[in-house]
Amino acid sequence: MKTLHDKQDDHARLAAELADDGVQFAMAAWVDVTGRPKSKVVPIGHLPDMLAGSERYTPRGIGRLGEMNPAEDECVGLPDPDTMRILSWDPRIALFHADLVLGDAGEPFENCPRSALKGVIAKARDMGFAMNLGVETEFYLFRTSALPELTPRFASSVIEPTPAYDARAVIDSLEFFSEVSAHMEAAGYGLYSFDQEGGEGQYELDFSYTDVLSMCDRLTYMRLMLPALAQKVDATVSFMPRPETRSWGSGAHMNMSLVSTTTGDNVFVDPDGSWSKTAMSFAAGVLRHAPALSALTCPTVNSYKRLTPKLADGSVSWAPVWARYGTNNRSCMLRLPGNRPAIENRSVDMMANMYLASAFTLAAGLEGIELGLDPGEPVTDDASDWEASAGGAGERLPRTLLEAIDAFATDPLVATTFPAGFVRDYLAMKVDEWNGYHSVVTQWEVDRYLLDV
């Protein structure tokens, strides 16, 4: 085992090597509740100090989470040395992903999303499992110089019925995506496809799965990378779930699997290739807690403008509204696809803090396994055509953020997955968000009611 002195020597050598390679600065990025990375910047010569926990923060109140407490002890941004990446689009900077720990005691800060996920990962490990995750990332690109008008940065040649998969549209956007591809390759993402999605100016990136913590770190890194590259082409990236009434929604489908920590085998499939009882119980656990989970996977008021069965023109939205599962059925919340041994949650959107969403998803799935839950029969018909009463009690996903946070507040698994302080602060934040939205009179209301006399 290396002594503290040995580690200090290693860190000093790393700083010198990075400096020789032209790196000038280092960052230890933690994330706030919205998933936005935050960090101080240190000259590369101070890297050993940063790795030892020199950088302190007063994060409560800064990241839209909880009231600032001026008497509270400071947090330390403690970097994970194994996560270092030199920013390929700005090689002056070496980035580390970090956890927030409280003061000199080194206890995880209650509002640190990365620490919350690591706690559930530890429970899974005690049960003999590790979670892998792949995320299908969708987003819009708007022309920056045209804002606030939402003008697609790259126009689609085909609009009706949708521009999805249009070859010409994606070729026209290569000015941006050729750089994205190069930088994702440099970061080891294993990008294997990108395409024009169903909304004009909407795109999807698909890349290799990895362990759940590393995937969440990748998405944090992506939140720095995509806007930086978009700036070069007069573009603004939007993760908003549904930016316009007539637009398609942007999802972040989570493709989840568990592997045995002993053998490395995927435990969601039996030797004959069929879905295992472990997989079915995991799915049942996630469905059991779907309303509360929605407060994390669909965390904004706008999220619920995406979770509708139909678009404005009456066509299918491809977003789920029922907490049910189907084998290869894209109209359900959970899909068990025939081409990969992973359970897909289709309700998740791009505004989710994936550390928090993954933590509660994994906790729910593990509970399902512990209790031997059964998700029942799969849905085989088109759930987007169901009436409000068709699915049965408790199977409809929340229709609003208020419904989701009410479920989050009363779900007992929430209290055993997250610290009480986080639950308190998250609920306060989301209630305030709902109240702010609900107090605004919209143009729809004016058009509908102003002259209704």
Side-chain angles (χ1 to χ4, degrees), residues 11-90:
H11 296 165
R13 280 193 292 272
L14 176 61
E17 291 169 1
L18 291 171
D20 288 343
D21 290 337
V23 177
Q24 301 175 38
F25 306 103
M27 302 174 70
W30 49 275
V31 295
D32 67 13
V33 71
T34 69
R36 185 181 296 275
K38 304 288 183 74
S39 181
K40 295 181 181 180
V41 181
V42 303
I44 197 63
H46 287 275
L47 174 63
D49 299 327
M50 187 189 82
L51 291 172
S54 65
E55 304 313 306
R56 293 176 174 260
Y57 302 88
T58 51
R60 201 188 302 271
I62 293 175
R64 301 181 191 174
L65 184 62
E67 295 296 326
M68 186 173 291
N69 180 354
E72 187 174 39
D73 196 3
E74 292 178 312
C75 286
V76 172
L78 196 62
D80 182 343
D82 294 333
T83 65
M84 188 195 79
R85 288 191 181 100
I86 298 172
L87 302 189
S88 54
W89 67 91
D90 192 342

Side-chain angles (χ1 to χ4, degrees), residues 348-408:
V348 192
D349 69 50
M350 284 295 293
M351 294 297 285
N353 178 320
M354 201 57 69
Y355 297 98
L356 297 174
S358 297
F360 196 62
T361 298
L362 179 55
L366 293 176
E367 181 190 79
I369 294 170
E370 287 180 312
L371 298 179
L373 299 182
D374 186 336
E377 293 300 313
V379 171
T380 57
D381 54 340
D382 185 355
S384 61
D385 285 336
W386 288 359
E387 297 297 328
S389 60
E395 295 175 340
R396 180 65 159 84
L397 290 173
R399 292 174 174 85
T400 67
L401 178 61
L402 182 61
E403 286 187 25
I405 57 181
D406 283 347
F408 188 81

Side-chain angles (χ1 to χ4, degrees), residues 225-421:
M225 177 180 66
L226 290 180
L229 300 181
Q231 286 184 106
K232 298 181 178 182
V233 295
D234 186 31
T236 293
V237 174
S238 177
F239 291 157
M240 190 173 178
R242 195 171 181 185
E244 293 183 292
T245 298
R246 300 185 64 84
S247 67
W248 282 57
S250 288
H253 299 171
M254 296 173 64
N255 292 271
M256 308 161 288
S257 63
L258 294 183
V259 297
S260 165
T261 55
T262 303
T263 66
D265 294 334
N266 187 326
V267 299
F268 276 5
V269 287
D270 285 332
D272 64 359
S274 61
W275 293 97
S276 67
K277 186 180 186 304
T278 300
M280 303 310 292
S281 293
F282 186 97
V286 174
L287 293 173
R288 185 186 201 191
H289 296 280
L293 177 60
S294 296
L296 299 171
T297 57
C298 308
T300 71
V301 164
N302 185 254
S303 297
Y304 299 87
K305 304 296 177 70
R306 170 179 168 264
L307 294 185
T308 58
K310 306 288 184 181
L311 297 175
D313 63 3
S315 60
V316 176
S317 72
W318 295 99
V321 294
W322 297 98
R324 299 289 295 275
Y325 87 98
T327 53
N328 227 31
N329 189 336
R330 292 176 176 83
S331 68
C332 297
M333 173 186 162
L334 296 187
R335 173 182 174 231
L336 277 60
N339 65 346
R340 57 186 181 274
I343 296 173
E344 178 185 3
N345 183 349
R346 298 177 57 80
S347 69
V348 192
D349 69 50
M350 284 295 293
M351 294 297 285
N353 178 320
M354 201 57 69
Y355 297 98
L356 297 174
S358 297
F360 196 62
T361 298
L362 179 55
L366 293 176
E367 181 190 79
I369 294 170
E370 287 180 312
L371 298 179
L373 299 182
D374 186 336
E377 293 300 313
V379 171
T380 57
D381 54 340
D382 185 355
S384 61
D385 285 336
W386 288 359
E387 297 297 328
S389 60
E395 295 175 340
R396 180 65 159 84
L397 290 173
R399 292 174 174 85
T400 67
L401 178 61
L402 182 61
E403 286 187 25
I405 57 181
D406 283 347
F408 188 81
T410 58
D411 191 313
L413 186 63
V414 169
T416 59
T417 302
F418 300 109

Side-chain angles (χ1 to χ4, degrees), residues 407-431:
F408 188 81
T410 58
D411 191 313
L413 186 63
V414 169
T416 59
T417 302
F418 300 109
F422 168 80
V423 176
R424 176 200 64 226
D425 289 347
Y426 190 75
L427 287 171
M429 172 188 171
K430 289 301 168 180
V431 168

